[in-house]
Amino acid sequence: MTESADKRCGSAKTGTLAPGTPMCAGCGGLQALHQIYDLLGDRTVFVNAAGCMTLLSIYPYTPFPGSWLYTAMACAPAGAQGIRDALDLLLSKKRIRTKQDLLPVVLTGDGAAYGIGLSATSAAIDRGLDFLYICYDNEGYGNTGHQSSAATPTGARTATSRVDGFAGIKKDLFSIWCAHRPAYVATAIGSEPADLSKKVKKALSLRGPRLLLVLAPCPTGWGFEPARMVDIGKLAVETGSWPLKEYVDGMIRHTHIPSRRVPLEDYLCLQGRFRHLFKPVREDERLSGLQHRVDDYWANLK
Amino acid sequence: MRELLTGNKAAAWGARLADVDYLPVFPITPQTEIIETLAEWIDHGRIDARLTILESEHSMVTAAGAAAATGVRVFTATSSQGLLYAMEMLYNLAGWRVPLVLVNVSRGLSAPITLEPDHNDVLAARDCGFLQLHCTTCQEVLDSVLLGYRLAEDMRVRLPVLVNLDGFYLSFTREPVEIPSAEQVRAFLPPFHPGSNRFAGGTPVSQAVAVLGGTPYSYFRYQAHLASLEAGRIFGRIAQEFEARFGRSFEAVEDYHCDDAEILFVMIGSFASKARAAVDSLRASGQKVGLVRPRLLRPFPVASLVRLFEGKAGVAVVDQNLSNGSGGILHTELAAALYPLSKRPLLVSFVGGLGGRDITAGEFFAMHDVVRRAVGTGQAPPPRLLFTKDELAAVRHMQDIAAGTGETS
Ligand SMILES: Cc1ncc(C[n+]2csc(CCOP(=O)(O)OP(=O)(O)O)c2C)c(N)n1
Ligand code: SF4
């Protein structure tokens, strides 16, 4: 590509993604996408894997002023590869002008990003594909009724772990991406828009494989009132449960270190998926286990 | 220019002459020679294309379709497990209505794993929405790729095309192939014009958005079906033009000695050459037999087949595939196509050539006898697997060795 990514995607606007989508009220994924899309602009082509956001575009309507391709659950990065390769060919053979270039943006949930699509993602990073990957992480298979995914946190109840909650440990996708030495990896959340915006701009200033891993508080799957979505998102950050960080040039940097971390309980007790940890009896041991894990993460930082 | 080419090289030549832009690839025997040949040509600057090695056929086919939707001419190839691994996306590409050519080099499916051919792989893709062309000679492989692009890119069609050739029997068999000049091909196949439905800056395009309810879903599926049927008519015209330019006839159904025949063989793929030889021998001994070979399998050329079968006494359908618990797939398709005829021939089903197992001349003569007898009684025998007592004994012997109970000397 010849133009800078910033210019290619145009300047920031507001309300780029049209309203009136069928996402749930209070969807943290949609909140983040609104903010991101304002910065990306319309010279994008979104490549989507099956998930909640697949229903953003329902024939004959679309909230996107840019282009959109639905692929399947396992292969959105491969779709981005085909589009990027084709655009590069069209540019090099002078069949399109540089201002007709587009940014391929993969948009998937955590089920696709951490699970079924990970092989396609890993390979796309290996090939140095110039694309942006947005994963809205609602910590479960949202679209099919919130079953457990590899991104589900320990103890969370899902449609496939209804009694004691999920027994596994949330997969560390951030580290998996970093191990591939991509151009950029960042965690973010819609409830921290300034941080998110900086990361989108940083991602846009770079070339190569770039991931925005965005925690997406999900009222439907997590069990909270839609109106509390922003609070829950802020608590995810202030409890230290969702560290805001980025990887660039081989270095990992935390973009926000909570000065006094809020107890994890304050985050968990607001969500139906963790209610069994508090009622009918308080599961002190499990709660402190979860708190320890967060504490260890930050203690091991330095 | 006439050269000795393998089927794989002929496929690569087809892509080269079609001046393809993009080659997403993934290796699988016996297809690898196709992508290696194209890679070498790219390295030596013989073609101006980009080759990307994907990590699976699922991704390869996705990238192929996405690139075609972005406006470049795409070629790719696979075989067997690869085609099945890509199956989810084959349906998508047909739904995206993207034109491209995918060559499948037929190979039997696991398990047990084998490298040799039969048609269960390509026939598993029968309903995915790709048009299907089946080849018997290396020349046809090259020609089918060119015809495939003309057909796929026709604005009335806009569907991907699958060109099939048999592993080993064609992939690695050298035959003299007429290679047309680039100018000749360009006159037949002009540069790819994506039309308006491609991703472009400033003019957003949404591909494959969700639909709610059966009404729009039915509409889009039905449109693709109609386009597929239309492709049958358009193929006829394109084939005529092809013949006028290149001198090679390319009808949707090849018929060999059918006019006065009483008994017909029906086959697809390279084993049809054996059937052709058997027809020659049987004719030499005074038997009125012929061969029908559908080149086009999707859309299914029902009208041409009906014309050829009407008034015939019996037909031996030789399927190189097996739909477990049912029988040969081609047999079922033909039975369905012929059912409306009042005077329909007796269809007798044979299944053979699985995993590259040979079909001998003797077996063709035996099939002919079976059909003759069935016509006499008016009763079709049940489907028959071509497998001899000697072959059974050989497998039993291997089982004894495997079990450690046999003599291994
Ligand atoms: C191959 C395949 N298997 C299963 C499905 C069914 N399916 C559709 S969406 C979905 C869940 C996706 O979860 P995630 O990626 O986390 O996205 P979310 O639904 O949470 O937005 C599943 C399992 C599918 N579309 N394709
Ligand atoms: S289920 Fe969750 S992630 Fe999906 S649309 Fe609803 S709130 Fe958003």
Side-chain angles (χ1 to χ4, degrees), chain A residues 22-30 52-53 136 138 142-143 146 216-221:
Chain A
M23 295 302 106
C24 307
C27 173
L30 185 64
C52 290
M53 300 295 167
Y136 56 96
N138 62 10
N143 183 255
H146 216 82
C218 164
T220 320

Side-chain angles (χ1 to χ4, degrees), chain B residues 75-342:
Chain B
F75 175 86
T76 189
T78 188
S79 172
S80 184
Q81 304 295 122
L83 190 71
L84 262 66
Y85 198 53
M87 185 67 72
E88 179 185 30
M89 295 312 293
L90 297 182
Y91 276 82
N92 273 43
L93 265 55
W96 296 351
R97 303 291 300 270
V98 285
L100 55 82
V101 172
L102 181 155
V103 165
N104 184 62
V105 187
S106 268
R107 166 180 151 189
L109 294 165
S110 290
I113 188 167
T114 180
L115 297 176
E116 293 180 70
D118 63 40
H119 296 147
N120 265 108
D121 59 351
V122 60
L123 293 181
R126 184 187 62 166
D127 303 327
C128 72
F130 273 57
L131 309 175
Q132 282 199 10
L133 286 167
H134 288 250
C135 309
T136 293
T137 64
C138 295
Q139 180 72 59
E140 267 186 306
V141 172
L142 189 158
D143 292 350
S144 298
V145 172
L146 302 178
L147 280 150
Y149 279 108
R150 257 301 285 274
L151 191 60
E153 289 172 9
D154 192 296
M155 279 318 247
R156 294 160 293 182
V157 176
R158 288 280 150 164
L159 284 169
V161 171
L162 189 157
V163 171
N164 197 68
L165 63 132
D166 288 336
F168 291 81
Y169 288 83
L170 273 198
S171 65
F172 301 135
T173 297
R174 277 164 190 266
E175 289 178 346
V177 174
E178 184 65 43
I179 304 173
S181 72
E183 297 74 55
Q184 264 180 310
V185 172
R186 221 169 294 131
F188 173 73
L189 179 68
F192 175 44
H193 274 291
S196 58
N197 58 337
R198 69 172 175 84
F199 305 122
T203 45
V205 166
S206 294
Q207 274 278 37
V209 298
V211 292
L212 286 185
T215 304
Y217 183 77
S218 302
Y219 171 81
F220 286 113
R221 293 304 300 253
Y222 197 59
Q223 286 299 313
H225 171 63
L226 292 177
S228 180
L229 292 179
E230 184 67 10
R233 286 182 278 275
I234 291 167
F235 181 81
R237 268 170 259 152
I238 293 175
Q240 273 171 10
E241 188 190 325
F242 188 87
E243 186 171 2
R245 285 183 189 281
F246 301 100
R248 289 187 291 279
S249 154
F250 226 103
E251 292 187 23
V253 182
E254 185 195 46
D255 56 292
Y256 185 63
H257 287 315
C258 288
D259 288 348
D260 66 337
E262 293 156 2
I263 306 283
L264 298 175
F265 288 104
V266 187
M267 288 194 79
I268 54 172
S270 61
F271 278 45
S273 307
K274 295 167 186 277
R276 204 181 234 266
V279 165
D280 288 340
S281 307
L282 285 162
R283 284 250 162 206
S285 65
Q287 300 287 355
K288 290 189 169 166
V289 290
L291 168 68
V292 170
R293 178 171 72 87
R295 283 195 177 97
L296 198 58
L297 222 62
R298 279 292 178 275
F300 200 47
V302 176
S304 309
L305 291 167
V306 162
R307 218 178 310 118
L308 289 166
F309 287 162
E310 203 149 27
K312 303 297 181 202
V315 178
V317 188
V318 191
D319 266 293
Q320 219 177 326
N321 64 80
L322 182 54
S323 175
N324 292 349
S326 172
I329 294 169
L330 206 54
H331 173 256
T332 328
E333 294 254 311
L334 287 169
L338 299 182
Y339 186 77
L341 295 185
S342 52

Side-chain angles (χ1 to χ4, degrees), chain A residues 20 156 215 243 288 298:
Chain A
L215 187 68
S288 66
W298 292 97

